[in-house]
Amino acid sequence: MILFGENTPMPTPTSTVPPELVTPGFAGFAVVIVIVAAVILLIWDMNRRIRRVRYRDEVREELDAEQAERDAREDRPGTDAGTSAADAADDDSGR
């Protein structure tokens, strides 16, 4: 009793293209090497730029801290060292 028909074997497909034409060969290898080199150079440049931004930020923070310290010293009451020529001129013109 055959319910679903006969079992026919599936034929194996044969390739009509030579395998040498399907593989990437030297040109594909060269393209991959160029892309890898470009990615490595881009990563190297990005790291250099990020490092430069960090250094600039650190220097900016140090300068801000020095400026704040200098401003705090100048703003202390009872010291004449904090009075500059511009402050003295402003005091004279306001009277």
Coordinates of all heavy atoms in Angstrom, one line a residue:
M1 N 0.8 -1.2 0.0 CA 0.0 0.0 0.0 C 0.9 1.2 0.0 O 1.7 1.5 0.9 CB -0.9 -0.1 1.2 CG -1.7 1.1 1.4 SD -2.8 0.7 2.7 CE -3.3 2.2 3.1
I2 N 0.7 2.1 -1.0 CA 1.5 3.3 -1.1 C 0.6 4.5 -1.0 O -0.3 4.7 -1.8 CB 2.2 3.4 -2.5 CG1 3.1 2.2 -2.7 CG2 2.9 4.7 -2.7 CD1 3.8 2.1 -4.0
L3 N 0.8 5.2 0.1 CA -0.1 6.4 0.4 C 0.4 7.7 -0.2 O -0.4 8.5 -0.7 CB -0.3 6.6 1.9 CG -1.0 5.4 2.6 CD1 -1.0 5.7 4.1 CD2 -2.4 5.3 2.1
F4 N 1.7 7.9 -0.2 CA 2.2 9.1 -0.6 C 2.9 9.1 -2.0 O 3.6 10.0 -2.3 CB 3.1 9.7 0.4 CG 2.4 9.9 1.7 CD1 2.6 9.1 2.8 CD2 1.5 11.0 1.9 CE1 2.0 9.3 4.0 CE2 0.9 11.2 3.1 CZ 1.1 10.3 4.2
G5 N 2.9 8.1 -2.6 CA 3.6 7.9 -3.9 C 4.9 7.3 -3.7 O 5.3 6.8 -2.6
E6 N 5.7 7.2 -4.8 CA 6.9 6.5 -4.7 C 8.0 7.5 -4.2 O 8.0 8.7 -4.5 CB 7.3 6.0 -6.1 CG 6.4 4.9 -6.6 CD 6.9 4.4 -8.0 OE1 8.1 4.6 -8.3 OE2 6.1 3.9 -8.7
N7 N 9.0 6.9 -3.6 CA 10.2 7.7 -3.2 C 11.2 7.7 -4.4 O 11.7 6.7 -4.8 CB 10.9 7.0 -2.0 CG 10.4 7.5 -0.7 OD1 9.7 8.5 -0.6 ND2 10.7 6.7 0.4
T8 N 11.3 8.9 -4.9 CA 12.3 9.1 -5.9 C 13.5 9.8 -5.3 O 13.4 10.7 -4.6 CB 11.7 10.0 -7.1 OG1 11.3 11.2 -6.5 CG2 10.6 9.3 -7.7
P9 N 14.7 9.3 -5.7 CA 15.9 9.9 -5.1 C 16.1 11.3 -5.7 O 15.8 11.6 -6.8 CB 17.0 9.0 -5.6 CG 16.5 8.2 -6.7 CD 15.0 8.2 -6.6
M10 N 16.6 12.2 -4.8 CA 16.9 13.6 -5.2 C 18.3 13.6 -5.9 O 19.3 13.1 -5.3 CB 17.0 14.5 -4.0 CG 15.6 14.7 -3.3 SD 14.5 15.6 -4.3 CE 15.0 17.2 -4.0
P11 N 18.3 14.2 -7.1 CA 19.6 14.2 -7.8 C 20.5 15.3 -7.1 O 20.1 16.3 -6.7 CB 19.3 14.6 -9.2 CG 18.0 15.3 -9.1 CD 17.3 14.7 -7.9
T12 N 21.8 15.0 -7.0 CA 22.8 15.9 -6.5 C 23.1 16.9 -7.6 O 23.5 16.5 -8.7 CB 24.1 15.2 -6.1 OG1 23.7 14.2 -5.2 CG2 25.1 16.1 -5.4
P13 N 23.0 18.2 -7.3 CA 23.3 19.2 -8.3 C 24.8 19.2 -8.6 O 25.6 19.1 -7.7 CB 22.8 20.5 -7.8 CG 22.8 20.3 -6.3 CD 22.6 18.9 -6.1
T14 N 25.1 19.4 -9.9 CA 26.5 19.5 -10.3 C 26.8 20.9 -10.6 O 26.0 21.6 -11.2 CB 26.8 18.6 -11.5 OG1 25.9 18.9 -12.5 CG2 26.6 17.1 -11.1
S15 N 28.0 21.4 -10.3 CA 28.4 22.8 -10.5 C 28.9 22.9 -11.9 O 29.7 22.1 -12.4 CB 29.5 23.2 -9.5 OG 29.9 24.5 -9.8
T16 N 28.5 23.9 -12.6 CA 28.9 24.2 -14.0 C 30.0 25.2 -14.0 O 30.6 25.5 -15.1 CB 27.8 24.6 -14.9 OG1 27.2 25.8 -14.3 CG2 26.7 23.5 -15.0
V17 N 30.3 25.9 -12.9 CA 31.3 26.9 -12.8 C 32.5 26.4 -12.2 O 32.5 25.7 -11.1 CB 30.7 28.1 -11.9 CG1 31.8 29.2 -11.8 CG2 29.4 28.6 -12.5
P18 N 33.7 26.7 -12.7 CA 34.9 26.1 -12.1 C 35.2 26.8 -10.7 O 34.9 28.0 -10.5 CB 36.0 26.6 -13.1 CG 35.3 27.1 -14.3 CD 33.9 27.3 -14.0
P19 N 35.6 26.0 -9.7 CA 35.8 26.5 -8.4 C 36.8 27.7 -8.3 O 36.7 28.5 -7.4 CB 36.3 25.3 -7.6 CG 36.2 24.1 -8.4 CD 36.0 24.6 -9.8
E20 N 37.7 27.8 -9.2 CA 38.7 28.9 -9.2 C 38.0 30.3 -9.5 O 38.5 31.3 -9.0 CB 39.8 28.7 -10.3 CG 40.6 27.5 -10.1 CD 40.0 26.3 -10.7 OE1 39.2 26.4 -11.7 OE2 40.2 25.2 -10.2
L21 N 36.9 30.3 -10.2 CA 36.2 31.5 -10.4 C 35.3 31.9 -9.3 O 34.8 33.1 -9.2 CB 35.4 31.4 -11.7 CG 36.2 31.2 -13.0 CD1 35.3 31.0 -14.2 CD2 37.2 32.3 -13.2
V22 N 35.0 31.0 -8.4 CA 34.0 31.3 -7.3 C 34.8 31.9 -6.1 O 34.3 32.7 -5.4 CB 33.2 30.1 -6.9 CG1 32.3 30.3 -5.8 CG2 32.4 29.6 -8.1
T23 N 36.0 31.5 -5.8 CA 36.8 31.9 -4.7 C 37.3 33.3 -4.9 O 37.5 33.7 -6.0 CB 38.0 30.9 -4.4 OG1 38.8 31.0 -5.6 CG2 37.5 29.5 -4.2
P24 N 37.5 34.1 -3.8 CA 37.9 35.4 -4.0 C 39.4 35.6 -4.5 O 39.7 36.6 -5.1 CB 37.9 36.0 -2.5 CG 37.8 34.9 -1.6 CD 37.3 33.7 -2.4
G25 N 40.2 34.6 -4.3 CA 41.6 34.7 -4.8 C 42.4 35.8 -4.2 O 42.1 36.3 -3.1
F26 N 43.5 36.2 -4.9 CA 44.4 37.2 -4.3 C 43.7 38.5 -4.2 O 44.0 39.3 -3.3 CB 45.6 37.3 -5.2 CG 46.6 38.3 -4.7 CD1 47.4 38.1 -3.6 CD2 46.7 39.5 -5.4 CE1 48.2 39.0 -3.1 CE2 47.6 40.5 -4.9 CZ 48.3 40.2 -3.8
A27 N 42.9 38.9 -5.2 CA 42.2 40.2 -5.1 C 41.4 40.4 -3.9 O 41.4 41.4 -3.2 CB 41.4 40.4 -6.4
G28 N 40.6 39.3 -3.5 CA 39.8 39.4 -2.3 C 40.7 39.5 -1.1 O 40.3 40.2 -0.1
F29 N 41.8 38.7 -1.1 CA 42.7 38.8 0.1 C 43.3 40.2 0.2 O 43.4 40.7 1.3 CB 43.8 37.7 -0.1 CG 44.8 37.8 0.9 CD1 44.6 37.3 2.2 CD2 46.1 38.3 0.7 CE1 45.5 37.3 3.2 CE2 47.1 38.3 1.6 CZ 46.8 37.8 2.9
A30 N 43.7 40.8 -0.9 CA 44.3 42.1 -0.9 C 43.2 43.2 -0.4 O 43.6 44.1 0.4 CB 44.8 42.5 -2.3
V31 N 42.0 43.1 -0.8 CA 41.0 44.0 -0.4 C 40.7 43.9 1.1 O 40.6 44.9 1.9 CB 39.6 43.8 -1.1 CG1 38.5 44.5 -0.5 CG2 39.8 44.2 -2.6
V32 N 40.7 42.6 1.7 CA 40.5 42.4 3.1 C 41.7 43.0 3.9 O 41.5 43.7 4.9 CB 40.3 40.9 3.4 CG1 40.4 40.7 4.9 CG2 39.0 40.4 2.9
I33 N 42.9 42.8 3.4 CA 44.1 43.4 4.1 C 44.0 44.9 4.1 O 44.3 45.6 5.1 CB 45.4 42.9 3.4 CG1 45.5 41.4 3.6 CG2 46.6 43.7 3.9 CD1 45.7 41.0 5.0
V34 N 43.6 45.5 3.0 CA 43.5 47.0 2.9 C 42.4 47.5 3.9 O 42.6 48.5 4.6 CB 43.2 47.5 1.5 CG1 42.7 48.9 1.5 CG2 44.4 47.2 0.6
I35 N 41.3 46.8 4.0 CA 40.2 47.2 4.9 C 40.7 47.1 6.4 O 40.5 47.9 7.2 CB 39.0 46.4 4.7 CG1 38.3 46.8 3.4 CG2 38.0 46.5 5.8 CD1 37.2 46.0 2.9
V36 N 41.4 46.0 6.7 CA 41.9 45.8 8.0 C 42.9 46.9 8.4 O 42.9 47.4 9.5 CB 42.6 44.4 8.2 CG1 43.4 44.2 9.5 CG2 41.5 43.3 8.1
A37 N 43.8 47.2 7.5 CA 44.8 48.3 7.7 C 44.1 49.6 7.9 O 44.5 50.4 8.8 CB 45.8 48.4 6.5
A38 N 43.1 49.9 7.2 CA 42.3 51.2 7.3 C 41.6 51.2 8.7 O 41.7 52.3 9.4 CB 41.3 51.3 6.2
V39 N 41.1 50.1 9.1 CA 40.4 50.1 10.4 C 41.4 50.3 11.5 O 41.1 51.0 12.5 CB 39.6 48.8 10.6 CG1 39.2 48.6 12.0 CG2 38.4 48.7 9.7
I40 N 42.5 49.6 11.5 CA 43.6 49.8 12.5 C 44.0 51.2 12.5 O 44.2 51.8 13.6 CB 44.8 48.8 12.2 CG1 44.3 47.4 12.5 CG2 46.0 49.2 13.0 CD1 45.3 46.3 12.1
L41 N 44.3 51.9 11.4 CA 44.7 53.3 11.4 C 43.6 54.2 12.0 O 43.9 55.1 12.7 CB 45.1 53.7 10.0 CG 46.4 53.1 9.4 CD1 46.6 53.5 8.0 CD2 47.6 53.5 10.3
L42 N 42.3 53.9 11.7 CA 41.3 54.7 12.2 C 41.2 54.6 13.7 O 40.9 55.6 14.4 CB 39.9 54.3 11.6 CG 39.7 54.8 10.1 CD1 38.5 54.2 9.5 CD2 39.6 56.3 10.1
I43 N 41.3 53.4 14.2 CA 41.3 53.2 15.7 C 42.5 53.9 16.3 O 42.3 54.5 17.4 CB 41.3 51.7 16.0 CG1 39.9 51.0 15.6 CG2 41.5 51.4 17.5 CD1 39.9 49.5 15.7
W44 N 43.6 53.8 15.8 CA 44.8 54.5 16.3 C 44.6 56.0 16.3 O 44.9 56.6 17.4 CB 46.0 54.1 15.5 CG 47.3 54.7 15.9 CD1 48.0 54.5 17.1 CD2 48.0 55.7 15.2 NE1 49.1 55.3 17.1 CE2 49.1 56.1 16.0 CE3 47.8 56.4 14.0 CZ2 50.0 57.0 15.6 CZ3 48.7 57.4 13.7 CH2 49.8 57.7 14.5
D45 N 44.1 56.5 15.3 CA 43.8 58.0 15.2 C 42.7 58.4 16.2 O 42.9 59.4 16.9 CB 43.4 58.4 13.8 CG 43.2 59.9 13.7 OD1 44.2 60.6 14.0 OD2 42.2 60.3 13.2
M46 N 41.7 57.6 16.4 CA 40.6 57.9 17.3 C 41.2 57.9 18.8 O 40.9 58.8 19.5 CB 39.5 56.9 17.2 CG 38.4 57.1 18.2 SD 37.1 55.8 18.2 CE 38.1 54.5 18.8
N47 N 42.0 56.9 19.1 CA 42.6 56.9 20.4 C 43.5 58.1 20.7 O 43.5 58.6 21.8 CB 43.4 55.6 20.6 CG 42.6 54.4 20.9 OD1 41.5 54.5 21.4 ND2 43.1 53.2 20.5
R48 N 44.2 58.5 19.7 CA 45.1 59.7 19.8 C 44.3 60.9 20.1 O 44.6 61.7 20.9 CB 45.9 59.8 18.5 CG 47.0 60.9 18.6 CD 47.7 61.0 17.4 NE 46.7 61.2 16.3 CZ 47.0 61.9 15.2 NH1 48.2 62.4 15.0 NH2 46.1 62.1 14.3
R49 N 43.2 61.1 19.3 CA 42.3 62.2 19.5 C 41.6 62.2 20.9 O 41.5 63.3 21.5 CB 41.3 62.3 18.4 CG 41.9 62.7 17.1 CD 40.9 62.6 16.0 NE 41.5 62.7 14.7 CZ 41.5 63.9 14.0 NH1 41.0 65.0 14.5 NH2 42.1 64.0 12.8
I50 N 41.2 61.1 21.3 CA 40.5 61.0 22.6 C 41.5 61.3 23.7 O 41.2 62.0 24.7 CB 39.9 59.6 22.8 CG1 38.7 59.4 21.9 CG2 39.5 59.4 24.3 CD1 38.1 58.0 21.9
R51 N 42.7 60.8 23.6 CA 43.8 61.1 24.6 C 44.1 62.6 24.6 O 44.2 63.2 25.7 CB 45.1 60.3 24.2 CG 46.0 60.2 25.3 CD 47.2 59.4 25.0 NE 46.9 58.1 24.3 CZ 47.3 57.8 23.0 NH1 48.1 58.6 22.4 NH2 47.0 56.7 22.5
R52 N 44.1 63.3 23.5 CA 44.4 64.7 23.4 C 43.2 65.5 24.1 O 43.5 66.4 24.8 CB 44.5 65.1 21.9 CG 45.0 66.5 21.8 CD 45.1 66.9 20.3 NE 46.0 66.0 19.6 CZ 46.0 65.9 18.3 NH1 45.1 66.6 17.6 NH2 46.8 65.0 17.7
V53 N 42.0 65.1 23.9 CA 40.9 65.7 24.5 C 40.9 65.6 26.0 O 40.7 66.5 26.8 CB 39.5 65.2 24.0 CG1 38.4 65.6 24.8 CG2 39.3 65.6 22.5
R54 N 41.3 64.4 26.5 CA 41.5 64.2 28.0 C 42.5 65.1 28.5 O 42.4 65.7 29.6 CB 41.8 62.7 28.2 CG 40.7 61.8 28.2 CD 41.1 60.4 28.7 NE 40.1 59.4 28.3 CZ 40.5 58.2 28.0 NH1 41.7 57.8 28.0 NH2 39.5 57.3 27.6
Y55 N 43.7 65.2 27.9 CA 44.8 66.0 28.4 C 44.3 67.5 28.4 O 44.6 68.2 29.4 CB 46.0 65.9 27.5 CG 46.7 64.6 27.6 CD1 47.5 64.0 26.6 CD2 46.6 63.8 28.8 CE1 48.1 62.8 26.7 CE2 47.3 62.6 28.9 CZ 48.0 62.1 27.9 OH 48.6 60.9 28.0
R56 N 43.6 67.9 27.4 CA 43.2 69.3 27.4 C 42.2 69.6 28.5 O 42.2 70.6 29.2 CB 42.5 69.6 26.1 CG 43.4 69.8 24.9 CD 42.7 70.1 23.6 NE 43.6 70.3 22.5 CZ 43.3 70.3 21.3 NH1 42.0 70.1 21.0 NH2 44.2 70.4 20.3
D57 N 41.3 68.6 28.8 CA 40.4 68.7 29.9 C 41.1 68.8 31.2 O 40.7 69.6 32.1 CB 39.4 67.6 29.8 CG 38.2 67.8 30.7 OD1 37.7 68.9 30.8 OD2 37.7 66.8 31.3
E58 N 42.1 67.9 31.4 CA 42.9 67.9 32.7 C 43.6 69.3 32.9 O 43.6 69.8 33.9 CB 43.9 66.8 32.7 CG 43.3 65.4 32.8 CD 44.4 64.4 32.7 OE1 45.6 64.7 32.6 OE2 44.0 63.2 32.7
V59 N 44.2 69.8 31.8 CA 44.9 71.1 31.9 C 43.9 72.2 32.2 O 44.1 73.1 33.0 CB 45.6 71.4 30.6 CG1 46.1 72.8 30.5 CG2 46.8 70.4 30.5
R60 N 42.7 72.1 31.5 CA 41.7 73.2 31.8 C 41.2 73.1 33.2 O 41.0 74.1 33.9 CB 40.5 72.9 30.8 CG 39.6 74.1 30.7 CD 38.5 73.9 29.6 NE 39.2 73.9 28.3 CZ 39.0 73.0 27.4 NH1 38.2 71.9 27.6 NH2 39.6 73.0 26.2
E61 N 41.0 71.9 33.8 CA 40.6 71.8 35.2 C 41.7 72.3 36.1 O 41.4 73.0 37.1 CB 40.3 70.3 35.5 CG 39.1 69.8 35.0 CD 38.9 68.3 35.2 OE1 39.7 67.7 35.9 OE2 37.9 67.8 34.8
E62 N 43.0 72.1 35.8 CA 44.1 72.6 36.7 C 44.1 74.1 36.6 O 44.2 74.8 37.6 CB 45.4 72.1 36.2 CG 45.6 70.6 36.5 CD 46.9 70.1 36.0 OE1 47.7 70.9 35.5 OE2 47.1 68.8 36.0
L63 N 43.9 74.7 35.4 CA 43.9 76.1 35.3 C 42.7 76.8 36.0 O 42.8 77.8 36.7 CB 43.9 76.6 33.8 CG 45.2 76.3 33.0 CD1 44.9 76.6 31.6 CD2 46.3 77.1 33.6
D64 N 41.5 76.1 35.9 CA 40.4 76.6 36.7 C 40.6 76.5 38.2 O 40.2 77.5 38.9 CB 39.1 75.8 36.3 CG 38.6 76.1 34.9 OD1 39.1 77.1 34.3 OD2 37.8 75.3 34.3
A65 N 41.2 75.5 38.6 CA 41.5 75.3 40.1 C 42.5 76.4 40.5 O 42.3 77.0 41.6 CB 42.0 74.0 40.4
E66 N 43.5 76.7 39.7 CA 44.5 77.8 40.1 C 43.8 79.1 40.1 O 44.0 79.9 40.9 CB 45.6 77.7 39.1 CG 46.6 76.6 39.2 CD 47.6 76.6 38.2 OE1 47.7 77.6 37.4 OE2 48.4 75.6 38.1
Q67 N 42.9 79.3 39.1 CA 42.2 80.6 39.0 C 41.3 80.8 40.2 O 41.2 81.9 40.8 CB 41.4 80.7 37.7 CG 40.7 82.1 37.5 CD 41.7 83.2 37.4 OE1 42.8 83.1 36.8 NE2 41.4 84.4 37.9
A68 N 40.6 79.7 40.6 CA 39.7 79.8 41.8 C 40.5 80.0 43.0 O 40.0 80.8 43.9 CB 38.9 78.5 41.9
E69 N 41.6 79.4 43.1 CA 42.5 79.6 44.3 C 43.0 81.1 44.3 O 43.0 81.7 45.4 CB 43.7 78.7 44.3 CG 44.6 78.8 45.5 CD 45.7 77.8 45.4 OE1 45.5 76.7 44.9 OE2 46.9 78.2 45.8
R70 N 43.4 81.6 43.2 CA 43.8 83.0 43.1 C 42.7 84.0 43.4 O 42.9 84.9 44.2 CB 44.4 83.2 41.7 CG 45.3 84.4 41.6 CD 45.9 84.6 40.2 NE 46.5 83.3 39.7 CZ 46.3 82.7 38.6 NH1 45.4 83.3 37.7 NH2 46.9 81.6 38.2
D71 N 41.5 83.7 42.9 CA 40.4 84.5 43.2 C 40.0 84.5 44.7 O 39.6 85.5 45.3 CB 39.1 84.1 42.4 CG 39.3 84.4 40.9 OD1 40.2 85.2 40.6 OD2 38.5 83.8 40.1
A72 N 40.1 83.3 45.3 CA 39.8 83.2 46.8 C 40.8 84.0 47.6 O 40.5 84.6 48.6 CB 39.9 81.7 47.2
R73 N 42.1 84.0 47.2 CA 43.1 84.7 47.9 C 42.8 86.2 47.8 O 43.0 87.0 48.7 CB 44.5 84.4 47.4 CG 45.1 83.2 48.1 CD 46.5 83.1 47.7 NE 46.5 82.4 46.4 CZ 47.4 82.5 45.5 NH1 48.5 83.2 45.7 NH2 47.3 81.9 44.3
E74 N 42.4 86.7 46.6 CA 42.2 88.1 46.3 C 40.9 88.6 47.0 O 40.8 89.7 47.4 CB 42.1 88.4 44.8 CG 43.4 88.2 44.1 CD 43.2 88.4 42.6 OE1 42.1 88.6 42.2 OE2 44.2 88.4 41.9
D75 N 40.0 87.7 47.3 CA 38.7 88.1 47.9 C 38.7 88.1 49.4 O 37.8 88.5 50.0 CB 37.6 87.2 47.4 CG 37.3 87.4 45.9 OD1 37.6 88.5 45.4 OD2 36.7 86.5 45.3
R76 N 39.8 87.7 50.0 CA 39.9 87.7 51.5 C 39.9 89.1 52.0 O 40.6 90.0 51.5 CB 41.2 87.0 51.9 CG 41.1 85.6 52.0 CD 42.2 85.0 52.7 NE 42.7 83.8 52.0 CZ 43.9 83.3 51.9 NH1 44.8 83.9 52.6 NH2 44.1 82.2 51.3
P77 N 39.1 89.4 53.0 CA 39.0 90.8 53.6 C 40.3 91.0 54.4 O 40.8 90.1 55.0 CB 37.8 90.8 54.4 CG 37.5 89.3 54.7 CD 38.1 88.5 53.6
G78 N 40.7 92.3 54.4 CA 41.8 92.7 55.3 C 43.2 92.6 54.6 O 44.2 92.8 55.3
T79 N 43.2 92.2 53.4 CA 44.5 92.1 52.7 C 44.6 93.1 51.6 O 43.6 93.3 50.8 CB 44.8 90.7 52.1 OG1 43.7 90.4 51.2 CG2 44.8 89.6 53.2
D80 N 45.7 93.8 51.6 CA 45.9 94.8 50.5 C 46.4 94.2 49.2 O 46.4 94.9 48.2 CB 46.8 96.0 51.0 CG 46.1 96.8 52.1 OD1 46.3 96.4 53.3 OD2 45.4 97.7 51.8
A81 N 47.0 93.0 49.3 CA 47.6 92.4 48.1 C 46.5 92.1 47.1 O 46.8 92.0 45.9 CB 48.3 91.1 48.6
G82 N 45.3 91.9 47.5 CA 44.2 91.6 46.6 C 43.7 92.8 45.8 O 43.0 92.6 44.8
T83 N 44.0 94.0 46.2 CA 43.5 95.2 45.5 C 44.4 95.5 44.3 O 45.6 95.7 44.4 CB 43.5 96.4 46.4 OG1 42.8 96.0 47.6 CG2 42.8 97.6 45.8
S84 N 43.8 95.5 43.1 CA 44.6 95.8 41.9 C 44.4 97.2 41.5 O 43.5 98.0 42.1 CB 44.1 94.9 40.8 OG 42.8 95.1 40.5
A85 N 45.1 97.7 40.5 CA 45.0 99.1 40.1 C 43.6 99.3 39.5 O 43.0 100.4 39.7 CB 46.1 99.3 39.0
A86 N 43.0 98.3 38.8 CA 41.7 98.5 38.3 C 40.6 98.7 39.4 O 39.7 99.5 39.3 CB 41.3 97.3 37.4
D87 N 40.8 97.9 40.5 CA 39.9 98.0 41.6 C 40.0 99.4 42.2 O 39.0 100.0 42.6 CB 40.1 96.9 42.6 CG 39.8 95.5 42.1 OD1 39.0 95.4 41.2 OD2 40.3 94.5 42.7
A88 N 41.2 99.9 42.4 CA 41.4 101.2 43.0 C 40.8 102.3 42.1 O 40.3 103.3 42.6 CB 42.9 101.4 43.2
A89 N 41.0 102.2 40.8 CA 40.4 103.2 39.9 C 38.9 103.1 39.9 O 38.2 104.2 39.9 CB 40.9 102.9 38.4
D90 N 38.3 102.0 40.1 CA 36.8 101.9 40.2 C 36.4 102.5 41.5 O 35.3 103.2 41.6 CB 36.4 100.4 40.2 CG 36.5 99.8 38.8 OD1 36.5 100.6 37.8 OD2 36.5 98.5 38.7
D91 N 37.1 102.3 42.6 CA 36.8 102.9 43.9 C 36.8 104.4 43.8 O 36.0 105.1 44.4 CB 37.7 102.4 45.0 CG 37.4 101.0 45.3 OD1 36.3 100.4 44.9 OD2 38.3 100.3 45.9
D92 N 37.8 105.0 43.1 CA 38.0 106.5 43.1 C 36.9 107.1 42.2 O 36.4 108.2 42.4 CB 39.3 106.8 42.5 CG 40.4 106.5 43.5 OD1 40.1 106.4 44.7 OD2 41.6 106.3 43.1
S93 N 36.5 106.4 41.1 CA 35.5 107.0 40.2 C 34.1 106.9 40.7 O 33.3 107.7 40.4 CB 35.6 106.2 38.8 OG 35.2 104.9 39.0
G94 N 33.9 106.0 41.7 CA 32.5 105.8 42.2 C 32.3 106.9 43.3 O 31.1 107.1 43.7
R95 N 33.2 107.6 43.8 CA 33.0 108.5 44.9 C 32.6 109.9 44.5 O 32.7 110.5 43.5 CB 34.3 108.7 45.7 CG 34.6 107.4 46.5 CD 35.8 107.7 47.3 NE 36.1 106.4 47.9 CZ 37.2 106.2 48.6 NH1 38.1 107.1 48.8 NH2 37.5 105.0 49.1

